[in-house]
Amino acid sequence: MGSAPPVRQRRLARPLWLNQPGRVTGLSPMRAGGVLGLLLLLILVFWATQRPIVPVPDRLAPVSVTIIDHVRHGQSFYPAAIDALRENEQPLRPALIAVPLPALPVALATVSPDIGETLLILLALSVVVAWARSWRIALDRPVAQGLALILAVAGLYPLVAWPMSVVPESWAALLVALSLAQHRPQGMATAVALGLAAMIVTPVALVHALVMLVLAWHSRARQEVIGWIIAIALFLLVLAAHAHALHTAVTAVDPVMGDALALTTPADLIAGVASTGAVGFLPLSLVLPLAVLAALGWLHWRRPVARRAGVTMAAYALAALLTGGAGFLLMLAPLFFLGLVFAPDAVRELVATLRDRRRITVKRVVR
């Protein structure tokens, strides 16, 4: 008669900073090794493809500054925007994409630069406070909460400083980040309203609204689905009015944008995102592995707010990789590197899983 000792299951270690297990907790050793191997491969690919890039602020700020300067001097918005694009040697066709929506530039042109910058700083502080409610619930240790605060603030500078404070995508990125933090049953209307405000500032925010609509549909949240459908419909009306105003403003001799698809490398994507925040002051060779760990941190954090933010950032990253659009990169800036605070738990779990391989011995006793 033979018998075999029972197989012991691996005892899960207590999370390092998080107060609950994450998504990579409990993986099999083979899968944990695959995840670590993929992380290492991504870092190597990023290092191999890194190169100098034009920072996102240098790509977006000059046109926005020129538009507002023209409007402040009495010029109507659409002639001002078209003149600004021509002065900065930017393409004007298709005009619906090239020319920004008028709401934010016209509003900022009516107030002093200090007031506009102060309002953006207050919006940024609202984002930090709103997200602090989420990470205070998730993080046990004060050192982790302090690091989260540092990373959140690092994602906001120089986003809130002149000249980036007049770029529509700067405002939209913060509105989207605040919308994600407000996304809860009692704050659903606020989240939708903030998403609509972001779309009115720039069409780039439409990606966020579509992601939220899909997630709400998947969750069968009927009221939220209706809310996002109404918000998108209102935005499309604004976009239609914008297109009508541009109908005769752009001529056939104006330069045309290049191909819609302009593939960029992952390293360029990370460098672009870093250039919009304080992380950009670090060497790129260090920023690239930090970005991989930040992505792992967002993947590991098991909360609905992390899922929504992670899917939204993944959608913007994909759009940036396919088009090279600086606006898509800017939408990642406020939250992306916040994921670093959740990465230590993920790495610890993966390494612990690999080290916890147990040999199973079967003994047969013959009587």
Side-chain angles (χ1 to χ4, degrees), residues 183-322:
H183 193 286
R184 56 188 188 276
Q186 63 271 29
M188 195 61 62
T190 303
V192 174
L194 289 167
L196 174 60
M199 287 188 286
I200 292 175
V201 168
T202 174
V204 172
L206 177 62
V207 174
H208 162 67
L210 293 175
V211 169
M212 293 298 100
L213 176 60
V214 171
L215 291 179
W217 184 279
H218 184 265
S219 301
R220 298 182 180 179
R222 182 172 176 271
Q223 291 185 342
E224 185 183 355
V225 169
I226 294 173
W228 285 111
I229 289 176
I230 293 173
I232 293 171
L234 291 174
F235 162 70
L236 292 177
L237 290 176
V238 172
L239 197 64
H242 182 57
H244 178 73
L246 288 170
H247 180 64
T248 58
V250 178
T251 66
V253 298
D254 287 313
V256 183
M257 287 185 177
D259 294 335
L261 291 180
L263 300 181
T264 186
T265 67
D268 288 349
L269 182 147
I270 300 303
V273 175
S275 70
T276 65
V279 178
F281 294 108
L282 298 175
L284 185 58
S285 57
L286 176 60
V287 170
L288 295 175
L290 289 178
V292 174
L293 291 175
L296 175 66
W298 280 112
L299 176 66
H300 182 63
W301 188 19
R302 193 194 296 270
R303 285 186 66 85
V305 67
R307 176 171 173 262
R308 291 189 299 270
V311 175
T312 299
M313 287 188 286
Y316 277 113
L318 178 61
L321 284 172
L322 294 177

Side-chain angles (χ1 to χ4, degrees), residues 5-285:
V7 178
R8 292 180 297 172
Q9 293 183 347
R10 185 173 74 88
R11 185 175 62 183
L12 299 179
R14 184 181 183 277
L16 181 64
W17 284 350
L18 292 168
N19 57 18
Q20 65 178 12
R23 288 190 177 89
V24 304
T25 302
L27 293 180
S28 66
M30 179 177 296
R31 290 184 177 180
V35 172
L36 286 173
L38 178 61
L39 295 177
L40 180 59
L41 177 62
L42 286 175
I43 293 173
L44 294 176
V45 170
F46 285 4
W47 277 339
T49 58
Q50 63 179 315
R51 59 180 180 177
I53 66 163
V54 178
V56 169
D58 293 343
R59 295 166 61 182
L60 293 177
V63 172
S64 297
V65 170
T66 307
I67 291 173
I68 292 177
D69 184 62
H70 287 342
V71 175
R72 278 202 179 109
H73 286 81
Q75 195 173 10
S76 298
F77 169 75
Y78 286 103
I82 291 171
D83 288 346
L85 288 166
R86 288 170 177 161
E87 290 173 20
N88 287 275
E89 299 180 348
Q90 297 296 316
L92 275 82
R93 294 186 295 153
L96 192 61
I97 298 175
V99 179
L101 291 169
L104 182 69
V106 171
L108 292 179
T110 61
V111 300
S112 69
D114 291 339
I115 292 178
E117 191 168 337
T118 300
L119 291 174
L120 187 60
I121 291 173
L122 292 175
L123 177 59
L125 291 176
S126 300
V127 171
V128 174
V129 171
W131 274 92
R133 296 194 191 105
S134 295
W135 75 57
R136 277 207 310 266
I137 296 173
L139 299 172
D140 275 340
R141 300 192 180 184
V143 63
Q145 296 181 9
L147 177 60
L149 179 60
I150 292 172
L151 292 170
V153 173
L156 301 175
Y157 182 84
L159 194 70
V160 297
W162 193 91
M164 287 300 293
S165 59
V166 301
V167 174
E169 287 79 7
S170 295
W171 292 75
L174 295 176
L175 289 168
V176 166
L178 189 56
S179 174
L180 289 167
Q182 295 293 332
H183 193 286
R184 56 188 188 276
Q186 63 271 29
M188 195 61 62
T190 303
V192 174
L194 289 167
L196 174 60
M199 287 188 286
I200 292 175
V201 168
T202 174
V204 172
L206 177 62
V207 174
H208 162 67
L210 293 175
V211 169
M212 293 298 100
L213 176 60
V214 171
L215 291 179
W217 184 279
H218 184 265
S219 301
R220 298 182 180 179
R222 182 172 176 271
Q223 291 185 342
E224 185 183 355
V225 169
I226 294 173
W228 285 111
I229 289 176
I230 293 173
I232 293 171
L234 291 174
F235 162 70
L236 292 177
L237 290 176
V238 172
L239 197 64
H242 182 57
H244 178 73
L246 288 170
H247 180 64
T248 58
V250 178
T251 66
V253 298
D254 287 313
V256 183
M257 287 185 177
D259 294 335
L261 291 180
L263 300 181
T264 186
T265 67
D268 288 349
L269 182 147
I270 300 303
V273 175
S275 70
T276 65
V279 178
F281 294 108
L282 298 175
L284 185 58
S285 57

